[in-house]
Amino acid sequence: MGQQQTLPNGVQIHNTLESSSPNPDETEQGGYELLAQSGEDGTYNLSVLVNGVHCAACIQKIESTIAKNKDVQNVRLNFTTRRLAIQWSGEKDQANIFVKSIENLGYKVQPFNADLVNEESKEQEKFLLMSLGVAGFALGNIMLLSVGVWSSSGEEMGYATREFFHWISALIAIPTILYSGRPFFNSALGALKNGHTNMDVPISIALILACSMSLHETIYGAEHVYFDSAVMLTFFLLIGRYLDLRARGKARESANDLLSTLSGFANVVDEDGRLQRILIRDLKEGMNIRVAMGETFPIDGEIISGQSEVDTSLVTGETIPRVIETGAQIYAGTLNLSAPVVVRVAKAAEDSLLADIVRLMEKAGQSQAKYVRIADKAAQLYTPVVHIAAAIAFIFWWGVMGIAWQEALMIAITVLIITCPCALGLAVPVVQVLASARLTKSGILVKSGDALERLASIDTIMFDKTGTLTHGKPSLINQEHELNSFKLAASLASYSHHPLSKALYKAYGDNEIVELSDVEEHSGEGLSARYNHELIRLGSRQWCGDKNYETSDSYMEIWFQHGDKKAVRFTFEDSPRQDAEMTIKHFHDDGIKTLMATGDLSQPAKAVASQCGIKEYYAEQKPDDKFNRLQELKEQKHNVLMVGDGLNDAPVLAGADISMAPGSALDMAQNAADIIFMGDQLAPVYRSWKTAKASQSLVKENFALAAIYNMIAVPLAFMGYVTPLVAALAMSGSSIIVIANSFRLRFAK
Amino acid sequence: MSVLAYLIPVALLLGLIGLAGFIWSLKSGQYDDLDGAAQRILLDDDELGPKQ
């Protein structure tokens, strides 16, 4: 039995696919009950991702639509993460009704498996916020007391009162440091256990020493009490830490969303020919699944019935769709273009090419984790220097000047505290947050905290071709057609999802199209229809073209024939982005090497490379060829920026020193990239690099400022001139200078 | 100076109330969806229906 489907635009699709399912539409939906989780009190919970939410009205529409159902107990859309949580009592199957009603409102719903969500970073963010809140409270109250102590002297305010103030400060500060200092203590301990130091080691030592010395001074009723400085240090550093985590947490969140959406659904055809919807991760080898037109193949497999065309551009980088027939191999991640097919699963989802690429990405990501952040590099220099200075201070005063060892130790500890790494701790995160915010405004999303740091150090850029240097979509290049045939061809093309048809229709623009009857799609051949009782056809050269036509070019083509008239040829090309050549030239002018690696054939690769001004290019590269090329470059000590959009680029994106992907890229590629840029232009790549360069020089300036501050403060401390007031002023002063300097990024070009 | 014996505990208490308020808002998830809160202020309560 053949089945007939009617699309919304009126085109009928004939195909010979055997299916005994009376209404395939019913089984194409649903499956969401598989994701619903039962709660303790007999209720169910469902979490889904809703795309297309962008204003208050969207929240209201979605929430009120779901809340109308009397079984629903709770519904909440998180606007930040786009996650919708529904809690209801009654039937589990209602999950599908909810999803359907949201889809009817015009939003796209994606399955989302809450099990896979990493709650860790969220917990960490809460932990930091809590520490920050406690430190803020303590800082306010200690300052209240300290201002009094600073502005008078022991004689004036009375020693008993001063001691009283010190004790209250101790009462507030010590629990605060123990509580709010944990982020630093934990990280310092972790680093020391692994036998190296990081920024948190000197911070922790300074905090502990400041507290214990102040407590000692308080007990003996003396003057050198630094509780206020210790709490201030904690508070400022926690702000820097929180900003840093927010920037990185956002990236991780979107990565989690993407990974969990991979757990989508597939339609399995069972032995009786019925369709059943199951989760992709439950697919087993040998199962038969039905993949509708416009769907992505979830697994690697073999076509067992039906014929269609697949868009493999995301996997191989090739622009021209491939015709597939029974027996053909298809790969996970490719797109089924023209007709429904049944596929036998060759490998379970976790063994597919897609999963291989994911694994390759993970491997690549691990090697990237070895990168040492500039702040930690600074700490490795800074820690020994400061500690040696403190030791020298102690030996000098005790051994050479002959003062009591308690007093000498006091001076040594003051040296450690006054060289407080506060400014150093803020030097990097403040700049990064400001730079990311600036880029975000121009449509560039920086996903990881240290991405800009790595971007500033590149000397080589590797570009993908399709979708990166080019638009990734073919566009019509021969425009001079007789108007009538162009009009008819475009009218017919409007019925098809084929990339070339879409391009033809787009080139025709908003001009009027004509009414056609009997539109039929012929798999692998083209479209036919009737216009004024005459047959018109649009499709391949074999089917409706001039078979004797001689060509010297390698353009993609589509032919149109009107009745018995001479066939017309439309040619297409995937043209480079408008500013591609200029962007490449800018990079060349700044001494950056560029190269192009593509999965496409060598002729189109050569054409694009020469149009963009790239001299070094590699064609017909498989994902692992590209990855090997990256490894070669890395072995030659190059720092590589990868710009790519396809699945075949994903391992390289993950493995390169730094990577960027256009906003039109496949989810997987966006997931792997460090920076995403929006829009039709390539210029954001250059702009990001420029901003990264500017922010990197600001970071270095900040370090220099912190060093200058230390050069002034350390001798003072060394001479024993530092009082609690001087310490507090010096610390907040240096932090403010560093923050103010970072804001100069706003004036950078 | 004996007034300090009252004023300092009062100052600390006020600070602690503020801190307790912050901790409560954090625990009750008010920082989970900062962008959403900015949008929801535009909605009227009755538009959302009774189940919230």
Side-chain angles (χ1 to χ4, degrees):
Chain A
M1 181 192 95
Q3 85 179 45
Q4 222 173 45
Q5 262 179 287
T6 307
L7 291 182
N9 57 10
V11 63
Q12 293 191 329
I13 297 172
H14 296 272
N15 62 68
T16 51
L17 187 71
E18 285 300 324
S19 167
S20 59
S21 170
N23 184 357
D25 278 348
E26 240 165 52
T27 42
E28 305 276 310
Q29 308 291 336
Y32 282 91
E33 77 278 358
L34 299 170
L35 289 173
Q37 293 175 331
S38 44
E40 287 161 11
D41 46 355
T43 57
Y44 292 103
N45 293 298
L46 177 72
S47 278
V48 287
L49 282 179
V50 185
N51 289 331
V53 182
H54 48 69
C55 67
C58 299
I59 302 180
Q60 192 234 323
K61 254 201 283 185
I62 293 171
E63 287 187 353
S64 61
T65 306
I66 301 292
K68 266 181 210 149
N69 189 313
K70 62 182 181 349
D71 291 333
V72 172
Q73 297 185 337
N74 203 352
V75 50
R76 186 86 182 172
L77 178 70
N78 187 323
F79 189 77
T80 316
T81 57
R82 306 284 189 261
R83 288 177 199 160
L84 176 72
I86 310 171
Q87 189 188 23
W88 74 98
S89 56
E91 293 296 310
K92 204 177 181 182
D93 287 350
Q94 279 185 308
N96 294 320
I97 302 173
F98 299 142
V99 171
K100 186 87 192 146
S101 60
I102 300 168
E103 282 174 341
N104 286 344
L105 290 174
Y107 299 96
K108 201 179 153 211
V109 179
Q110 281 181 300
F112 165 79
N113 196 339
D115 290 348
L116 290 169
V117 178
N118 186 358
E119 288 290 324
E120 206 176 305
S121 67
K122 215 172 195 180
E123 285 301 309
Q124 216 183 347
E125 192 177 321
K126 267 198 174 167
F127 172 58
L128 268 184
L129 255 185
M130 192 77 101
S131 304
L132 188 60
V134 171
F137 152 77
L139 182 64
N141 281 283
I142 286 184
M143 282 304 155
L144 215 63
L145 302 167
S146 292
V147 171
V149 176
W150 291 338
S151 57
S152 106
S153 65
E155 293 92 25
E156 205 178 323
M157 77 188 297
Y159 290 102
T161 315
R162 191 177 74 179
E163 213 172 306
F164 177 56
F165 276 24
H166 282 169
W167 274 112
I168 295 175
S169 301
L171 209 68
I172 304 170
I174 291 171
T176 305
I177 299 294
L178 290 179
Y179 184 84
S180 299
R182 284 180 300 164
F184 309 109
F185 299 151
N186 293 343
S187 149
L189 270 179
L192 288 177
K193 263 186 201 155
N194 292 323
H196 53 84
T197 72
N198 61 10
M199 209 63 209
D200 293 323
V201 176
I203 291 173
S204 303
I205 292 176
L207 285 180
I208 292 169
L209 278 181
C211 275
S212 37
M213 186 178 87
S214 305
L215 189 62
H216 176 267
E217 292 279 293
T218 305
I219 291 170
Y220 289 95
E223 184 197 14
H224 290 274
V225 175
Y226 295 139
F227 287 125
D228 44 10
S229 297
V231 175
M232 195 194 301
L233 171 60
T234 315
F235 183 67
F236 274 125
L237 287 175
L238 280 172
I239 292 179
R241 204 53 60 94
Y242 179 66
L243 291 179
D244 195 36
L245 186 86
R246 276 282 298 253
R248 278 185 291 158
K250 269 213 173 108
R252 211 170 308 144
E253 197 126 290
S254 55
N256 278 332
D257 284 357
L258 291 173
L259 271 183
S260 54
T261 47
L262 274 183
S263 58
F265 303 108
N267 290 313
V268 172
V269 186
D270 65 16
E271 283 157 12
D272 309 328
R274 277 197 307 260
L275 286 183
Q276 192 195 352
R277 208 160 157 87
I278 70 166
L279 291 170
I280 287 174
R281 61 159 186 249
D282 294 335
L283 285 177
K284 296 277 176 314
E285 200 178 319
M287 280 181 169
N288 292 340
I289 59 165
R290 183 175 186 275
V291 180
M293 192 171 98
E295 273 185 359
T296 306
F297 291 102
I299 39 77
D300 297 354
E302 186 188 325
I303 305 287
I304 56 168
S305 79
Q307 59 167 318
S308 176
E309 281 171 293
V310 279
D311 179 354
T312 60
S313 61
L314 292 173
V315 175
T316 63
E318 267 177 69
T319 334
I320 309 171
R322 195 159 59 92
V323 177
I324 48 163
E325 289 172 340
T326 306
Q329 299 292 322
I330 50 95
Y331 295 107
T334 54
L335 187 67
N336 184 13
L337 280 177
S338 48
V341 289
V342 173
V343 181
R344 170 165 294 135
V345 180
K347 287 173 182 170
E350 66 258 33
D351 300 324
S352 66
L353 179 69
L354 191 69
D356 282 349
I357 289 179
V358 173
R359 263 192 289 277
L360 205 52
M361 277 164 59
E362 276 168 9
K363 202 174 110 196
Q366 279 160 9
S367 71
Q368 204 184 43
K370 285 182 195 143
Y371 177 80
V372 184
R373 288 172 154 225
I374 189 164
D376 291 330
K377 272 188 205 156
Q380 277 164 9
L381 259 171
Y382 169 91
T383 319
V385 170
V386 167
H387 290 161
I388 288 168
I392 293 174
F394 177 72
I395 293 166
F396 173 78
W397 282 100
W398 182 55
V400 181
M401 303 303 283
I403 64 169
W405 69 269
Q406 289 96 329
E407 279 182 53
L409 185 65
M410 178 85 67
I411 290 172
I413 292 174
T414 316
V415 170
L416 274 187
I417 298 171
I418 198 80
T419 56
C420 116
C422 196
L424 280 180
L426 287 173
V428 180
V430 176
V431 174
Q432 278 176 354
V433 166
L434 286 174
S436 308
R438 200 179 128 105
L439 288 175
T440 306
K441 271 187 197 153
S442 50
I444 302 165
L445 301 174
V446 181
K447 290 198 338 190
S448 62
D450 49 6
L452 291 173
E453 208 174 302
R454 287 183 275 129
L455 181 59
S457 68
I458 58 150
D459 57 15
T460 306
I461 307 178
M462 186 160 150
F463 286 100
D464 172 46
K465 182 179 79 75
T466 316
T468 306
L469 285 174
T470 68
H471 289 286
K473 286 181 203 130
S475 53
L476 185 66
I477 47 172
N478 60 340
Q479 300 274 6
E480 59 287 346
H481 297 287
E482 187 224 328
L483 190 65
N484 195 38
S485 57
F486 192 18
K487 191 180 197 173
L488 282 175
S491 307
L492 189 51
S494 70
Y495 289 99
S496 169
H497 291 282
H498 194 284
L500 295 182
S501 299
K502 279 202 217 160
L504 180 66
Y505 181 53
K506 198 178 160 203
Y508 185 66
D510 291 332
N511 299 323
E512 205 185 336
I513 54 171
V514 292
E515 192 85 4
L516 301 173
S517 57
D518 299 339
V519 181
E520 276 182 47
E521 184 161 338
H522 306 262
S523 288
E525 294 177 323
L527 289 164
S528 68
R530 292 206 172 267
Y531 174 65
N532 290 344
H533 307 293
E534 272 183 302
L535 183 70
I536 56 171
R537 295 191 293 173
L538 183 73
S540 65
R541 181 193 293 228
Q542 271 73 25
W543 191 54
C544 62
D546 179 355
K547 290 161 196 79
N548 304 320
Y549 188 84
E550 295 277 330
T551 44
S552 54
D553 56 54
S554 64
Y555 296 130
M556 291 170 263
E557 57 176 20
I558 194 170
W559 288 82
F560 173 73
Q561 196 172 31
H562 183 184
D564 301 330
K565 288 182 201 161
K566 193 170 178 290
V568 183
R569 181 180 187 236
F570 293 92
T571 52
F572 301 86
E573 183 189 45
D574 185 15
S575 55
R577 291 174 192 257
Q578 265 175 358
D579 59 347
E581 189 189 351
M582 188 140 75
T583 305
I584 304 285
K585 191 176 173 299
H586 280 314
F587 275 119
H588 285 170
D589 290 347
D590 285 327
I592 304 279
K593 190 179 136 184
T594 58
L595 60 105
M596 184 182 95
T598 174
D600 211 344
L601 303 172
S602 82
Q603 204 170 3
K606 188 181 174 185
V608 171
S610 69
Q611 277 171 15
C612 296
I614 297 180
K615 292 193 185 69
E616 191 179 344
Y617 71 91
Y618 304 92
E620 295 176 52
Q621 301 279 298
K622 289 195 199 74
D624 33 341
D625 293 336
K626 284 194 181 189
F627 192 69
N628 292 339
R629 193 145 314 276
L630 173 76
Q631 294 300 344
E632 266 171 42
L633 285 167
K634 278 188 153 181
E635 272 160 28
Q636 293 161 14
K637 300 280 175 227
H638 286 297
N639 289 326
V640 185
L641 161 66
M642 172 71 198
V643 189
D645 75 322
L647 200 57
N648 54 342
D649 303 315
V652 189
L653 287 170
D657 294 283
I658 172 84
S659 51
M660 296 183 71
S664 58
L666 180 72
D667 287 350
M668 188 68 82
Q670 290 200 17
N671 198 1
D674 299 296
I675 301 173
I676 317 260
F677 60 97
M678 301 296 164
D680 267 345
Q681 293 190 316
L682 200 62
V685 178
Y686 186 67
R687 194 175 310 135
S688 313
W689 181 70
K690 273 288 185 199
T691 308
K693 277 282 199 195
S695 57
Q696 203 57 12
S697 58
L698 273 178
V699 164
K700 284 182 185 149
E701 276 172 36
N702 281 347
F703 281 137
L705 283 173
I708 291 172
Y709 152 79
N710 276 331
M711 269 185 257
I712 299 167
V714 172
L716 283 178
F718 204 97
M719 307 304 281
Y721 288 143
V722 170
T723 62
L725 176 60
V726 174
L729 283 181
M731 278 185 199
S732 44
S734 68
S735 303
I736 288 167
I737 289 173
V738 163
I739 293 171
N741 185 52
S742 307
F743 269 93
R744 288 201 311 123
L745 188 66
R746 299 206 154 193
F747 308 112
K749 271 179 200 164
Chain B
M1 276 302 174
S2 60
V3 71
L4 284 178
Y6 304 106
L7 285 182
I8 289 175
V10 168
L12 283 180
L13 185 73
L14 286 174
L16 278 175
I17 292 173
L19 181 63
F22 171 72
I23 292 174
W24 166 76
S25 64
L26 186 62
K27 294 249 170 185
S28 62
Q30 296 187 31
Y31 288 81
D32 289 352
D33 184 14
L34 293 172
D35 300 337
Q39 301 282 345
R40 278 172 199 277
I41 197 164
L42 299 169
L43 304 178
D44 289 331
D45 287 343
D46 51 346
E47 285 179 9
L48 280 175
K51 284 164 195 158
Q52 272 302 298

